[in-house]
Amino acid sequence: MAAEIVTNEQLNFSVDYQPTKIVINNQDKLERALKAYINKYSGLVVSEQTLPDDKKVKRELNSLKKQLNDKRIEIHKTFDQPYIDFKTSIDGMLSQIDEVVNPIDEGISKFEEQQKQQRLEDVKAEIAEMAPNYNVKPDEIEIDDSWLNKSLSKIKRTKVIADRMKYAQAQKKALNNSITAATEHAKSVGVEPDGWVEQLKQGQDLDWVIQAIDHSVEERAKKAAYNKTMEDFNAEQHGETTIDANTGEIRDEDMTYVLKLTGTKAELTAVRKFLDNSQIRWEKVE
Protein backbone atom coordinates (compact mmCIF):
# COMPACT_ATOMS: atom_id res chain seq x y z
CA MET A 1 0.00 0.00 0.00
CA ALA A 2 1.45 3.33 -1.04
CA ALA A 3 2.17 5.79 1.73
CA GLU A 4 -0.34 8.57 1.97
CA ILE A 5 0.90 11.98 0.88
CA VAL A 6 1.04 14.43 3.74
CA THR A 7 -0.43 17.82 2.89
CA ASN A 8 0.60 21.19 4.26
CA GLU A 9 -2.79 21.47 5.94
CA GLN A 10 -2.03 18.37 7.99
CA LEU A 11 1.24 19.90 9.17
CA ASN A 12 -0.40 23.09 10.42
CA PHE A 13 -0.81 23.18 14.18
CA SER A 14 -1.72 25.53 16.99
CA VAL A 15 -0.86 25.65 20.68
CA ASP A 16 -3.21 26.22 23.59
CA TYR A 17 -1.51 28.49 26.04
CA GLN A 18 -3.00 30.23 29.02
CA PRO A 19 -0.69 32.60 30.89
CA THR A 20 -0.54 31.69 34.56
CA LYS A 21 -1.09 34.33 37.19
CA ILE A 22 1.05 34.00 40.31
CA VAL A 23 -0.55 35.51 43.39
CA ILE A 24 0.90 35.80 46.89
CA ASN A 25 -1.94 35.25 49.34
CA ASN A 26 -2.27 38.06 51.85
CA GLN A 27 0.60 39.87 50.18
CA ASP A 28 -0.28 43.23 51.76
CA LYS A 29 -0.32 41.70 55.25
CA LEU A 30 2.98 39.93 54.56
CA GLU A 31 4.65 43.10 53.32
CA ARG A 32 3.45 45.13 56.34
CA ALA A 33 4.72 42.48 58.76
CA LEU A 34 8.03 42.29 56.89
CA LYS A 35 8.41 46.08 56.91
CA ALA A 36 7.75 46.22 60.65
CA TYR A 37 10.25 43.42 61.22
CA ILE A 38 12.90 45.17 59.16
CA ASN A 39 12.28 48.55 60.74
CA LYS A 40 12.71 46.98 64.14
CA TYR A 41 16.28 46.04 63.39
CA SER A 42 17.18 48.78 60.89
CA GLY A 43 20.14 50.80 62.10
CA LEU A 44 21.08 48.19 64.69
CA VAL A 45 24.51 48.95 66.16
CA VAL A 46 26.56 45.91 67.06
CA SER A 47 28.41 46.09 70.37
CA GLU A 48 30.35 43.71 72.53
CA GLN A 49 27.61 43.67 75.13
CA THR A 50 24.82 42.88 72.61
CA LEU A 51 26.85 40.54 70.40
CA PRO A 52 24.91 37.31 71.26
CA ASP A 53 21.55 39.03 70.59
CA ASP A 54 22.94 40.59 67.38
CA LYS A 55 23.94 37.16 66.08
CA LYS A 56 20.43 35.88 66.86
CA VAL A 57 18.89 38.76 64.87
CA LYS A 58 21.20 37.96 61.96
CA ARG A 59 20.11 34.29 61.99
CA GLU A 60 16.43 35.26 62.06
CA LEU A 61 16.81 37.69 59.14
CA ASN A 62 18.77 35.17 57.08
CA SER A 63 16.14 32.52 57.86
CA LEU A 64 13.40 34.85 56.64
CA LYS A 65 15.39 35.59 53.50
CA LYS A 66 15.84 31.85 52.83
CA GLN A 67 12.09 31.18 53.24
CA LEU A 68 11.23 33.83 50.67
CA ASN A 69 13.88 32.63 48.21
CA ASP A 70 12.95 28.95 48.60
CA LYS A 71 9.33 29.77 47.80
CA ARG A 72 10.44 31.72 44.71
CA ILE A 73 12.50 28.77 43.47
CA GLU A 74 9.63 26.35 44.12
CA ILE A 75 7.16 28.44 42.12
CA HIS A 76 9.71 29.03 39.38
CA LYS A 77 10.25 25.30 38.82
CA THR A 78 6.49 24.64 38.79
CA PHE A 79 5.90 27.55 36.45
CA ASP A 80 8.66 26.44 34.03
CA GLN A 81 7.64 22.78 33.83
CA PRO A 82 4.87 23.20 31.19
CA TYR A 83 7.31 25.07 28.94
CA ILE A 84 10.00 22.43 29.48
CA ASP A 85 7.56 19.70 28.41
CA PHE A 86 6.46 21.75 25.41
CA LYS A 87 10.08 22.46 24.38
CA THR A 88 10.95 18.75 24.63
CA SER A 89 8.13 17.89 22.24
CA ILE A 90 9.09 20.56 19.73
CA ASP A 91 12.80 19.65 19.90
CA GLY A 92 11.92 16.04 19.12
CA MET A 93 10.00 17.04 16.02
CA LEU A 94 12.79 19.42 14.92
CA SER A 95 15.29 16.58 15.26
CA GLN A 96 13.16 14.38 12.99
CA ILE A 97 13.06 17.14 10.37
CA ASP A 98 16.84 17.65 10.60
CA GLU A 99 17.40 13.96 9.88
CA VAL A 100 15.80 14.57 6.48
CA VAL A 101 16.99 18.13 5.85
CA ASN A 102 20.70 17.56 6.58
CA PRO A 103 21.33 15.00 3.78
CA ILE A 104 19.41 17.24 1.37
CA ASP A 105 21.47 20.24 2.46
CA GLU A 106 24.71 18.30 2.00
CA GLY A 107 23.62 17.21 -1.47
CA ILE A 108 22.74 20.75 -2.48
CA SER A 109 26.03 22.10 -1.10
CA LYS A 110 27.97 19.46 -3.01
CA PHE A 111 26.41 20.35 -6.35
CA GLU A 112 26.65 24.09 -5.69
CA GLU A 113 30.38 23.67 -4.99
CA GLN A 114 30.77 21.71 -8.23
CA GLN A 115 28.98 24.50 -10.10
CA LYS A 116 31.23 27.09 -8.44
CA GLN A 117 34.34 25.15 -9.47
CA GLN A 118 33.02 24.99 -13.02
CA ARG A 119 32.49 28.76 -13.00
CA LEU A 120 36.08 29.15 -11.75
CA GLU A 121 37.38 27.09 -14.67
CA ASP A 122 35.25 29.16 -17.05
CA VAL A 123 36.70 32.38 -15.63
CA LYS A 124 40.28 31.05 -15.94
CA ALA A 125 39.61 30.08 -19.56
CA GLU A 126 38.14 33.49 -20.31
CA ILE A 127 41.12 35.25 -18.74
CA ALA A 128 43.56 33.13 -20.77
CA GLU A 129 41.67 33.98 -23.93
CA MET A 130 41.45 37.73 -23.24
CA ALA A 131 44.94 38.33 -21.78
CA PRO A 132 46.88 38.59 -25.09
CA ASN A 133 44.52 41.36 -26.23
CA TYR A 134 45.65 43.53 -23.32
CA ASN A 135 49.35 42.54 -23.31
CA VAL A 136 49.11 40.95 -19.87
CA LYS A 137 49.74 37.43 -18.59
CA PRO A 138 46.85 35.37 -17.16
CA ASP A 139 48.65 34.94 -13.83
CA GLU A 140 48.85 38.72 -13.48
CA ILE A 141 45.07 38.91 -13.13
CA GLU A 142 43.79 38.09 -9.63
CA ILE A 143 40.39 36.41 -9.73
CA ASP A 144 37.74 38.22 -7.68
CA ASP A 145 35.33 36.01 -5.73
CA SER A 146 32.41 38.04 -7.08
CA TRP A 147 33.23 36.75 -10.58
CA LEU A 148 32.13 33.30 -9.42
CA ASN A 149 28.64 34.37 -8.34
CA LYS A 150 26.00 32.52 -10.33
CA SER A 151 23.92 35.70 -10.41
CA LEU A 152 26.63 37.44 -12.48
CA SER A 153 25.83 37.23 -16.18
CA LYS A 154 28.53 36.24 -18.67
CA ILE A 155 28.33 39.65 -20.38
CA LYS A 156 28.81 41.48 -17.08
CA ARG A 157 31.60 39.11 -16.09
CA THR A 158 33.47 39.69 -19.35
CA LYS A 159 33.21 43.44 -18.82
CA VAL A 160 34.60 43.41 -15.28
CA ILE A 161 37.46 41.12 -16.38
CA ALA A 162 38.23 43.49 -19.26
CA ASP A 163 38.25 46.46 -16.88
CA ARG A 164 40.65 44.64 -14.59
CA MET A 165 42.94 43.86 -17.54
CA LYS A 166 42.89 47.49 -18.71
CA TYR A 167 43.97 48.54 -15.24
CA ALA A 168 46.72 45.90 -15.15
CA GLN A 169 47.88 47.00 -18.60
CA ALA A 170 48.09 50.63 -17.49
CA GLN A 171 49.97 49.68 -14.31
CA LYS A 172 52.39 47.54 -16.30
CA LYS A 173 53.04 50.36 -18.79
CA ALA A 174 53.60 52.85 -15.96
CA LEU A 175 56.04 50.44 -14.28
CA ASN A 176 57.99 49.91 -17.50
CA ASN A 177 58.22 53.68 -18.00
CA SER A 178 59.45 54.10 -14.42
CA ILE A 179 62.03 51.33 -14.89
CA THR A 180 63.31 52.98 -18.07
CA ALA A 181 63.58 56.38 -16.39
CA ALA A 182 65.31 55.01 -13.28
CA THR A 183 67.71 52.88 -15.33
CA GLU A 184 68.75 55.80 -17.54
CA HIS A 185 69.21 58.07 -14.53
CA ALA A 186 71.24 55.47 -12.62
CA LYS A 187 73.54 54.88 -15.57
CA SER A 188 73.99 58.61 -16.09
CA VAL A 189 75.42 58.98 -12.57
CA GLY A 190 77.47 55.76 -12.68
CA VAL A 191 75.24 53.62 -10.48
CA GLU A 192 74.10 50.04 -11.12
CA PRO A 193 70.32 50.21 -11.71
CA ASP A 194 69.34 46.62 -10.83
CA GLY A 195 68.69 47.21 -7.13
CA TRP A 196 66.70 50.36 -7.78
CA VAL A 197 64.65 48.65 -10.49
CA GLU A 198 63.76 45.91 -8.02
CA GLN A 199 62.44 48.53 -5.61
CA LEU A 200 60.19 49.89 -8.34
CA LYS A 201 58.85 46.38 -8.94
CA GLN A 202 58.09 46.12 -5.23
CA GLY A 203 55.86 49.21 -5.52
CA GLN A 204 58.25 52.05 -4.65
CA ASP A 205 57.53 55.47 -6.18
CA LEU A 206 59.73 56.67 -9.10
CA ASP A 207 60.39 60.11 -7.58
CA TRP A 208 61.57 58.48 -4.36
CA VAL A 209 63.90 56.14 -6.28
CA ILE A 210 65.42 59.02 -8.28
CA GLN A 211 66.05 60.98 -5.09
CA ALA A 212 67.50 57.90 -3.40
CA ILE A 213 69.88 57.32 -6.34
CA ASP A 214 71.10 60.90 -6.14
CA HIS A 215 71.49 60.63 -2.39
CA SER A 216 73.56 57.45 -2.74
CA VAL A 217 75.83 59.17 -5.26
CA GLU A 218 76.29 62.10 -2.89
CA GLU A 219 77.07 59.78 0.02
CA ARG A 220 79.54 57.82 -2.10
CA ALA A 221 81.29 61.03 -3.14
CA LYS A 222 81.44 62.25 0.47
CA LYS A 223 82.88 58.93 1.61
CA ALA A 224 85.48 58.93 -1.16
CA ALA A 225 86.49 62.49 -0.33
CA TYR A 226 86.75 61.63 3.37
CA ASN A 227 88.85 58.53 2.65
CA LYS A 228 91.12 60.54 0.37
CA THR A 229 91.53 63.23 3.03
CA MET A 230 92.38 60.65 5.68
CA GLU A 231 94.85 58.94 3.35
CA ASP A 232 96.56 62.25 2.61
CA PHE A 233 96.59 63.12 6.32
CA ASN A 234 98.22 59.79 7.26
CA ALA A 235 100.71 59.77 4.41
CA GLU A 236 104.37 60.77 4.77
CA GLN A 237 106.41 61.66 1.71
CA HIS A 238 109.91 60.18 1.44
CA GLY A 239 111.35 61.34 -1.80
CA GLU A 240 109.11 59.91 -4.49
CA THR A 241 107.68 57.30 -2.08
CA THR A 242 104.55 57.82 0.02
CA ILE A 243 104.39 55.85 3.30
CA ASP A 244 101.28 55.35 5.42
CA ALA A 245 102.03 56.91 8.81
CA ASN A 246 99.78 54.44 10.62
CA THR A 247 100.94 51.17 9.08
CA GLY A 248 104.36 52.02 7.67
CA GLU A 249 103.32 50.47 4.36
CA ILE A 250 104.30 52.02 1.06
CA ARG A 251 101.21 53.44 -0.53
CA ASP A 252 100.71 53.42 -4.26
CA GLU A 253 100.27 56.83 -5.81
CA ASP A 254 97.03 57.56 -7.70
CA MET A 255 97.59 57.64 -11.43
CA THR A 256 95.28 58.96 -14.11
CA TYR A 257 95.02 57.71 -17.67
CA VAL A 258 92.68 58.72 -20.44
CA LEU A 259 91.57 55.61 -22.33
CA LYS A 260 89.31 55.12 -25.28
CA LEU A 261 87.53 51.76 -25.03
CA THR A 262 85.86 50.02 -27.94
CA GLY A 263 83.69 46.93 -27.58
CA THR A 264 80.16 45.63 -27.41
CA LYS A 265 77.68 46.99 -24.88
CA ALA A 266 78.01 43.84 -22.79
CA GLU A 267 81.84 44.04 -22.86
CA LEU A 268 81.89 47.72 -21.86
CA THR A 269 79.39 47.01 -19.10
CA ALA A 270 81.68 44.28 -17.78
CA VAL A 271 84.62 46.72 -17.79
CA ARG A 272 82.58 49.30 -15.88
CA LYS A 273 81.58 46.69 -13.27
CA PHE A 274 85.24 45.70 -12.88
CA LEU A 275 86.24 49.34 -12.31
CA ASP A 276 83.48 49.82 -9.74
CA ASN A 277 84.29 46.60 -7.90
CA SER A 278 88.00 47.53 -7.86
CA GLN A 279 87.15 50.97 -6.43
CA ILE A 280 88.84 52.61 -9.39
CA ARG A 281 87.37 56.05 -9.92
CA TRP A 282 86.29 56.80 -13.44
CA GLU A 283 84.41 59.43 -15.33
CA LYS A 284 83.05 59.78 -18.80
CA VAL A 285 85.09 62.18 -20.98
CA GLU A 286 83.19 63.88 -23.77
Side-chain angles (χ1 to χ4, degrees), residues 45-62:
V45 177
V46 178
S47 67
E48 185 176 357
Q49 292 75 18
T50 62
L51 187 58
D53 292 335
D54 295 336
K55 290 182 177 181
K56 180 180 179 181
V57 171
K58 176 184 175 182
R59 287 194 298 270
E60 290 176 353
L61 289 172
N62 282 336

Side-chain angles (χ1 to χ4, degrees), residues 118-222:
Q118 183 58 54
R119 289 193 294 272
L120 175 60
E121 296 304 319
D122 293 341
V123 167
K124 289 181 178 180
E126 190 167 8
I127 290 175
E129 181 180 353
M130 295 172 61
N133 299 329
Y134 295 89
N135 193 31
V136 295
K137 297 178 181 178
D139 57 6
E140 294 175 341
I141 305 302
E142 183 178 355
I143 297 177
D144 195 301
D145 288 340
S146 63
W147 300 353
L148 307 181
N149 293 339
K150 59 182 178 182
S151 59
L152 185 67
S153 67
K154 188 176 186 305
I155 295 177
K156 178 66 175 177
R157 186 180 70 194
T158 300
K159 183 180 183 305
V160 295
I161 292 176
D163 291 341
R164 180 66 61 83
M165 288 187 173
K166 290 177 183 177
Y167 177 78
Q169 183 183 37
Q171 291 293 101
K172 193 173 184 179
K173 182 178 180 180
L175 176 60
N176 288 336
N177 291 339
S178 296
I179 290 175
T180 299
T183 299
E184 291 177 352
H185 183 73
K187 290 181 177 179
S188 70
V189 295
V191 173
E192 279 297 317
D194 295 347
W196 304 107
V197 168
E198 187 60 33
Q199 292 201 36
L200 288 171
K201 291 180 179 180
Q202 296 297 324
Q204 191 57 265
D205 181 71
L206 173 62
D207 291 339
W208 184 91
V209 169
I210 294 295
Q211 292 177 12
I213 291 174
D214 292 341
H215 180 71
S216 69
V217 171
E218 293 174 2
E219 290 299 313
R220 186 175 66 180
K222 290 178 182 179

